[in-house]
Amino acid sequence: MNGAQPRVAIVTGANRGLGRATAVALAARDIRVVLTYRGDADEAERVVQEIQDAGGEAIAERLDLGDKSSFDAFRAGVLRRVDERWGRSDVDVLVNNAGVGVFGALESVSVDDFDTVVGTNLRGTFFLIQAFAPHIADGGRIINVSTSLTRHVSAGTSIYSASKSAVESLARSLAVELGPRGIRVNSIAPGPTATDFNGGAMRDDPELRRTLARSTALGRVGEPREIADAIVALASDGLRWVTAERIEVSGGSQL
Ligand SMILES: NC(=O)c1ccc[n+]([C@@H]2O[C@H](COP(=O)([O-])OP(=O)(O)OC[C@H]3O[C@@H](n4cnc5c(N)ncnc54)[C@H](OP(=O)(O)O)[C@@H]3O)[C@@H](O)[C@H]2O)c1
């Protein structure tokens, strides 16, 4: 990281859910945040406002991980605004949080479902890292958001789990490739967490929450802030000797 200069992080999919909590938590640690949203600019601006109200600094940029052809313009826009706003020509942290899940039995998964999940979670994440790697400062961090479902699987999770296993694998390979520049690449694997994900089931379905609680050592589903704090820890200097790792943050799910 760059001594006296402001530190800068990009968090994808930060208009809501885990990304939003991560953006807020990083900003509270005096890290300037570029948060991305896909559809709802107003929702993203509310996160920017929340961060500013708490004394932090953030900007929002639109990103669709499914549209690789937009990545050059996205990168140019981010780098221009980061320079104008914070006087930096690069960034320190890239959190690849944005992702989608499609859940269903083998025979129910369509080619469109497959392309959406793999196109967003793997293809989008890979090419975003490719676009930004030259613009991540030496000593920086890349953190991919995976899932506990790469360790304990259940029926109907095949394509989602596979896409996230690939994201973890990517992190390990890129840790080797980017290690000579001091860039740490790791995965955070959340367990069930109360967000809009999967139709908000982990937040809103009492029966599912009870079932998940029974199979979790700490006896409940996670809250977004609990995942965000782990991402902040990985971004911090305290975990500077950690790279190529998968760290599960699930309260001990399905042990
Ligand atoms: N919640 C859980 O239980 C859980 C557990 C393990 C892992 N995860 C992972 O954690 C990450 C965040 O999930 P969440 O729970 O916060 O889910 P969420 O509330 O559904 O938020 C998903 C975020 O990803 C963005 N996104 C989706 N597709 C995108 C695309 N093509 N391009 C750009 N952004 C896109 C969404 O943008 P829009 O608002 O525009 O749709 C939104 O900001 C995901 O990678 C998910 O797989 C979640």
Side-chain angles (χ1 to χ4, degrees):
M1 305 244 179
N2 287 278
Q5 299 187 85
R7 288 178 298 160
V8 178
I10 300 171
V11 184
T12 64
N15 50 302
R16 58 195 175 107
L18 304 186
R20 174 189 182 141
T22 300
V24 169
L26 286 167
R29 299 295 178 94
D30 207 24
I31 295 175
R32 277 59 168 176
V33 178
V34 180
L35 58 95
T36 84
Y37 63 97
R38 178 180 47 166
D40 192 337
D42 290 342
E43 192 174 41
E45 280 308 321
R46 284 196 291 277
V47 184
V48 169
Q49 193 60 51
E50 179 184 350
I51 287 171
Q52 286 173 357
D53 289 349
E57 294 188 40
I59 57 176
E61 277 281 331
R62 183 172 187 281
L63 170 69
D64 181 353
L65 278 179
D67 180 12
K68 189 205 172 285
S69 68
S70 69
F71 286 12
D72 284 352
F74 169 75
R75 177 182 55 197
V78 166
L79 292 175
R80 179 179 52 75
R81 292 185 72 191
V82 163
D83 182 26
E84 282 170 9
R85 182 78 184 261
W86 299 307
R88 288 287 305 273
S89 58
D90 50 15
V91 303
D92 302 296
V93 181
L94 172 62
V95 182
N96 292 302
N97 164 77
V100 286
V102 173
F103 301 99
L106 174 63
E107 63 277 11
S108 74
V109 177
S110 68
V111 171
D112 280 353
D113 292 337
F114 184 100
D115 289 346
T116 297
V117 173
V118 174
T120 306
N121 297 356
L122 175 58
R123 188 176 190 269
T125 298
F126 176 83
F127 285 107
L128 193 72
I129 295 173
Q130 186 187 68
F132 273 93
H135 308 281
I136 295 174
D138 290 359
R141 313 278 194 273
I142 298 172
I143 299 163
N144 290 348
V145 176
S146 176
T147 171
S148 60
L149 282 167
T150 60
R151 176 180 57 79
H152 62 83
V153 293
S154 55
T157 66
S158 59
I159 192 54
Y160 175 69
S161 301
S163 74
K164 291 294 193 177
S165 292
V167 159
E168 291 178 9
S169 179
L170 205 62
R172 286 172 54 77
S173 298
L174 294 178
V176 175
E177 216 166 303
L178 299 174
R181 293 176 48 205
I183 296 174
R184 286 79 162 162
V185 191
N186 293 289
S187 304
I188 285 280
T193 310
T195 68
D196 295 338
F197 193 73
N198 196 18
M202 275 79 71
R203 183 191 53 216
D204 302 332
D205 180 340
E207 185 50 42
L208 179 63
R209 283 173 66 88
R210 273 194 293 275
T211 303
L212 292 169
R214 278 194 296 273
S215 60
T216 301
L218 294 180
R220 60 176 174 81
V221 303
E223 293 299 324
R225 178 64 200 251
E226 293 168 319
I227 312 303
D229 284 348
I231 292 173
V232 169
L234 254 188
S236 76
D237 284 345
L239 294 186
R240 67 190 172 281
W241 195 235
V242 176
T243 195
E245 289 294 342
R246 170 194 188 274
I247 298 179
E248 188 164 313
V249 189
S250 70
S253 179
Q254 308 268 342
L255 296 174

